[in-house]
């Protein structure tokens, strides 16, 4: 049986005010894969993820989700909302609606299936609430269902965001630095959750700084530099020498940012770069 | 201890001057001058405007002083206040407060869609600009003027007053509401958008929950000032306590005027206090 193609990106190019953010990016992800995007800040990881679900539109190039075009040469496809509803998105800053309850935030995952009139009154059905509560139970924060989202810790908020993806019925989850703002224990929980979901068949694409996490959880990696794909292969191939050859002295920044909690001193990359900091 | 020898100061000065580098003295030279041509022009312009507007407004404080005796006589005629019609005044005050309630409520409802249309972070500029101009026009014209118009249209009475408050307050609240919308956290809206939600759903779930506390606070604030405005709308026949106030003025019945003013002051301070408590509790 051939697996179907979940994401296909062709010649995606985007620049902001003359600065290139993505430069002819090409790759594809099969259904059920777990892929990590690595690269220093500003290398184009976020831009790429945001283009895959159409939160941003590129200047040129094509993004297809399950063979349906989502954006093509700088234009949304008319079905973008339908396609987006199959893609869960997890943000570094969680992006929950802080004044709504945890349950309501999870119910937001349902919106693509909710009629306009019910949306206007923020009305949800009993079974939708049951489903949302079940998703919260799954991520382990059922107890907090009726609290405001802003009262939760970062790790809990990120798990609410994952529950929102579950209610969405997402077949693909895009996660943009999902653990960069979390403590190590919360980060581990979030990564385990994503791995579990991947085992159940959800395609996961994550951007990460922490090279240790990359090696622990991901089979395949794409390395970006200045908006170009510099490497696309198994994580095993992406060893320290490879990373140094791609990033040169910038490898330091790649490891440094946002992972102070992960034992920098033991990181192989530091040795590879021959720098102390 | 203070130095006794003035030459000590001098030597310190010369010492420190010796240490000062060229860069520091260059920087010192760059310090903004206290007196510049621009500032002088600005000062002259201000004086000219003040003198001109003084003449235009026919200010004459000397006159106020010379006729101070008349003022005292006049104010004396307000006392004692004549509460013989206090029941009518209380009923009128209730009408005035009711006008404030409905004028504000209708305005708040109308301001919700208008404010979203006037927010740059939600709508394209070709919608934002016309909506803002409309709100400006509603706000620019005083309630009294609108009341005159509505008295002609719907006749004398509080309904004309409610409509006048409604139009003016919509302009004011629309602007305030849209400022709240423009200050939201975009990330939260993006979180909603990423699930495949429509624009209306983004507004209902991503924007409105963020602005509700501010919106409510603005609305209560406008309610307070609308009760104050409603009390004078009666002067042009648009109902409420203003009608009695005007009639008493016309018949030189200053004792009654005084009684009405006392009731008004009490009513508005009670409303202000309650509303301020509510607003504090909200934000």
């Amino acid at each position: 049986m051939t697996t179907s193609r979940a994401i296909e990106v062709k010649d995606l190019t985007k620049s902001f005010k003359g600065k290139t953010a993505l430069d002819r990016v090409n790759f594809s992800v099969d259904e059920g894969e777990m892929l990590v995007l690595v690269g220093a800040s500003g290398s184009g990881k976020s831009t790429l993820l945001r283009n895959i679900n159409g939160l941003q539109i590129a200047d040129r190039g094509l993004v297809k989700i399950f063979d349906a075009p989502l954006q093509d040469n700088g234009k949304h496809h008319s079905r973008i909302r339908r396609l987006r509803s199959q893609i869960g998105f997890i943000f570094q800053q969680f992006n929950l609606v802080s004044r709504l309850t945890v349950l309501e935030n999870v119910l937001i995952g349902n919106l693509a299936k909710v009629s306009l009139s019910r949306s206007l009154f923020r009305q949800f059905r009993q079974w939708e609430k049951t489903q949302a509560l079940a998703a919260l139970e799954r991520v382990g924060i059922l107890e907090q269902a009726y609290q405001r989202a802003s009262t939760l810790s970062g790790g809990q908020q990120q798990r609410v965001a994952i529950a929102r993806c579950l209610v969405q019925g997402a077949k693909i989850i895009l996660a943009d630095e999902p653990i960069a703002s979390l403590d190590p224990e919360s980060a581990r929980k979030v990564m385990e959750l994503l791995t579990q979901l991947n085992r159940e068949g959800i395609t996961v694409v994550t951007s990460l700084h922490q090279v240790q996490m990359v090696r622990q959880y991901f089979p395949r990696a794409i390395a970006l530099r200045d908006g170009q794909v510099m490497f696309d292969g198994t994580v095993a191939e992406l060893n320290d020498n490879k990373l140094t050859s791609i990033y040169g002295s910038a490898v330091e920044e790649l490891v440094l940012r946002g992972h102070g909690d992960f034992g920098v001193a033991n990181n192989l990359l530091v040795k590879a770069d021959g720098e102390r900091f | 201890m203070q130095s006794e020898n003035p030459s000590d100061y001098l030597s310190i000065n010369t010492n420190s001057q010796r240490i000062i580098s060229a860069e520091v003295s260059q920087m010192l030279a760059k310090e903004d001058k206290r007196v510049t041509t621009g500032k002088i022009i600005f000062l002259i312009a201000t004086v000219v405007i003040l003198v001109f507007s003084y003449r235009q407004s026919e200010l004459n404080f000397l006159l106020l002083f010379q006729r101070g005796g008349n003022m005292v006589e006049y104010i004396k005629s307000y006392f004692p206040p004549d509460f013989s019609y206090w029941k009518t005044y209380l009923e009128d005050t209730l009408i005035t407060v009711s006008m404030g309630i409905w004028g504000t409520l209708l305005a708040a409802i109308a301001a919700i869609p208008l404010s979203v249309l006037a927010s740059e972070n939600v709508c394209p500029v070709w919608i934002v600009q016309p909506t803002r101009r409309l709100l400006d026009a509603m706000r620019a014209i005083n309630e009294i003027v609108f009341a005159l118009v509505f008295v002609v249209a719907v006749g004398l009475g509080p309904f004309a007053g409610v409509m006048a408050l409604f139009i003016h307050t919509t302009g004011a609240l629309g602007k305030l509401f849209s400022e709240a919308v423009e200050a939201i956290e975009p990330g939260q809206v993006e979180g909603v958008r990423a699930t495949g939600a429509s624009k209306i759903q983004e507004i209902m779930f991503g924007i409105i929950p963020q602005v509700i506390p501010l919106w409510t606070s603005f609305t209560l604030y406008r309610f307070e000032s609308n009760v104050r405005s409603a009390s004078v709308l009666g002067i042009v026949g648009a109902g409420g306590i203003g009608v009695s106030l005007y009639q008493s003025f016309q018949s030189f019945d200053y004792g009654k005027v005084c009684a009405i003013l006392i009731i008004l002051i009490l009513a508005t301070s009670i409303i202000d206090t309650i509303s301020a408590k509510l607003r504090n509790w909200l934000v």
Side-chain angles (χ1 to χ4, degrees):
Chain A
M1 196 191 107
T2 52
T3 49
S4 64
R5 187 152 285 183
I7 302 170
E8 193 174 353
V9 174
K10 262 192 192 156
D11 281 327
L12 205 65
T13 302
K14 166 122 186 136
S15 55
F16 294 110
K17 292 171 192 160
K19 195 181 169 294
T20 310
L22 294 176
D23 189 1
R24 282 160 293 153
V25 172
N26 281 290
F27 69 94
S28 62
V29 185
D30 285 339
E31 193 173 5
E33 263 197 277
M34 181 130 177
L35 167 72
V36 64
L37 303 176
V38 293
S41 61
S43 61
K45 300 179 309 258
S46 289
T47 312
L48 181 53
L49 284 171
R50 293 163 64 81
N51 268 281
I52 294 176
N53 85 336
L55 282 178
Q56 270 176 12
I57 295 298
D59 303 330
R60 278 194 310 285
L62 174 74
V63 175
K64 277 177 161 182
I65 302 296
F66 293 111
D67 283 327
L70 179 138
Q71 59 163 303
D72 191 356
N73 269 325
K75 286 203 179 74
H76 298 137
H77 197 268
S78 56
R79 286 168 57 199
I80 187 163
R81 282 183 43 217
R82 279 272 304 285
L83 290 172
R84 238 184 223 161
S85 73
Q86 302 178 28
I87 308 172
F89 203 104
I90 295 181
F91 300 84
Q92 178 179 346
Q93 294 305 328
F94 328 124
N95 286 359
L96 301 180
V97 184
S98 56
R99 288 185 57 91
L100 293 182
T101 64
V102 167
L103 178 64
E104 284 171 311
N105 267 287
V106 178
L107 284 165
I108 283 174
N110 247 328
L111 285 184
K113 295 163 219 155
V114 171
S115 70
L116 179 66
S117 59
R118 278 207 289 140
S119 306
L120 285 177
F121 294 98
R122 287 204 232 142
Q123 197 66 53
F124 289 97
R125 301 236 158 87
Q126 210 60 29
W127 66 265
E128 289 172 322
K129 290 180 193 165
T130 316
Q131 183 200 20
L133 287 171
L136 279 174
E137 189 179 29
R138 169 87 208 266
V139 300
I141 36 176
L142 183 59
E143 299 296 309
Q144 283 84 3
Y146 301 111
Q147 288 180 20
R148 271 196 188 156
S150 54
T151 63
L152 267 56
S153 71
Q156 288 172 324
Q157 292 198 37
Q158 200 59 297
R159 281 185 280 158
V160 175
I162 294 176
R164 182 162 73 184
C165 295
L166 290 175
V167 164
Q168 225 177 301
K171 297 195 185 97
I172 300 171
I173 290 181
L174 307 175
D176 186 11
E177 299 286 354
I179 57 172
S181 315
L182 302 182
D183 61 274
E185 180 56 18
S186 305
R188 193 187 56 77
K189 278 186 187 158
V190 166
M191 286 313 301
E192 308 256 291
L193 205 50
L194 287 175
T195 313
Q196 266 177 39
L197 294 177
N198 174 251
R199 278 196 210 112
E200 291 162 25
I202 295 178
T203 311
V204 176
V205 180
T206 309
S207 67
L208 274 188
H209 279 111
Q210 299 90 340
V211 173
Q212 282 194 337
M213 286 287 186
V214 168
R215 299 203 165 128
Q216 197 174 342
Y217 291 102
F218 294 88
R220 179 185 164 197
I222 285 180
L224 290 167
R225 197 185 72 191
D226 301 330
Q228 286 182 319
V229 174
M230 304 301 287
F231 171 91
D232 181 353
T234 64
V235 165
E237 288 171 66
L238 190 69
N239 54 26
D240 295 339
N241 291 332
K242 187 83 192 169
L243 276 170
T244 315
S245 74
I246 295 173
Y247 296 108
S249 60
V251 88
E252 191 177 316
E253 189 207 345
L254 177 65
V255 193
L256 248 182
R257 242 193 92 235
H259 69 117
D261 304 315
F262 291 91
V264 183
N266 293 329
N267 199 302
L268 287 170
L269 272 169
V270 179
K271 291 175 196 157
D273 201 45
E275 291 273 348
R276 285 176 60 91
F277 45 87
Chain B
M1 215 187 85
Q2 288 287 316
S3 168
E4 287 157 26
N5 187 353
S7 69
D8 274 6
Y9 284 115
L10 207 69
S11 66
I12 289 167
N13 268 339
T14 45
N15 263 342
S16 56
Q17 228 138 45
R18 223 173 290 148
I19 305 164
I20 289 170
S21 66
E23 283 83 2
V24 168
S25 36
Q26 273 172 18
M27 208 28 120
L28 189 67
K30 279 188 199 160
E31 191 196 13
D32 285 345
K33 298 279 181 295
R34 294 198 62 180
V35 181
T36 60
T37 348
K39 280 182 183 167
I40 291 170
I41 292 171
F42 187 74
L43 185 71
I44 293 172
T46 313
V47 170
V48 167
I49 290 171
L50 285 178
V51 168
F52 176 76
S53 51
Y54 185 93
R55 295 232 173 118
Q56 289 291 308
S57 354
E58 297 172 19
L59 289 188
N60 191 344
F61 292 107
L62 196 63
L63 189 71
L64 194 67
F65 188 71
Q66 285 166 342
R67 304 223 181 129
N70 289 354
M71 291 286 292
V72 173
E73 278 305 306
Y74 178 65
I75 289 170
K76 265 186 189 164
S77 66
Y78 275 64
F79 291 94
D82 175 3
F83 279 103
S84 45
Y85 291 107
W86 65 273
K87 270 191 177 160
T88 323
Y89 301 154
L90 270 190
E91 279 164 22
D92 283 352
T93 308
L94 269 182
I95 294 175
T96 307
V97 175
S98 309
M99 285 163 65
I101 291 176
W102 274 94
T104 315
L105 179 65
L106 292 175
I109 293 170
I112 291 173
L114 284 171
S115 68
V116 173
L117 294 176
S119 300
E120 267 174 354
N121 54 346
V122 185
C123 287
V125 69
W126 56 269
I127 296 181
V128 170
Q129 285 306 328
T131 317
R132 281 193 187 167
R133 294 296 83 78
L134 175 70
L135 292 173
D136 287 348
M138 289 169 139
R139 204 170 54 244
I141 300 166
N142 190 280
E143 293 100 328
I144 296 267
V145 181
F146 280 123
L148 284 168
V149 174
F150 280 108
V151 164
V152 175
V154 301
L156 294 169
F159 181 50
V162 170
M163 291 308 292
L165 289 175
F166 164 44
I167 304 288
H168 181 79
T169 311
T170 304
L173 282 183
K175 170 106 160 61
L176 289 170
F177 281 14
S178 78
E179 274 168 15
V181 171
E182 284 178 347
I184 55 163
E185 246 184 71
Q188 303 188 14
V189 185
E190 207 162 58
V192 177
R193 184 178 309 149
T195 66
S198 65
K199 193 90 185 172
I200 300 271
Q201 289 172 328
E202 279 175 32
I203 294 168
M204 290 309 298
F205 288 88
I207 295 178
I208 296 210
Q210 291 193 58
V211 293
I212 274 287
L214 262 184
W215 281 9
T216 322
S217 165
F218 289 148
T219 306
L220 281 170
Y221 180 73
R222 282 308 306 198
F223 169 61
E224 293 164 35
S225 59
N226 274 349
V227 172
R228 288 191 291 270
S229 307
S231 61
V232 293
L233 285 180
I235 292 174
V236 295
I241 189 92
V243 178
S244 310
L245 187 65
Y246 189 59
Q247 282 166 355
S248 308
F249 258 120
Q250 291 280 295
S251 50
F252 306 103
D253 223 336
Y254 295 126
K256 285 183 179 137
V257 170
C258 184
I260 293 171
L261 290 180
I262 289 171
I263 290 178
L264 257 181
I265 291 168
L266 282 178
T268 47
S269 5
I270 291 170
I271 286 172
D272 282 9
T273 315
I274 296 173
S275 163
K277 285 249 161 66
L278 272 175
R279 282 190 286 128
N280 274 336
W281 173 71
L282 270 163
V283 180

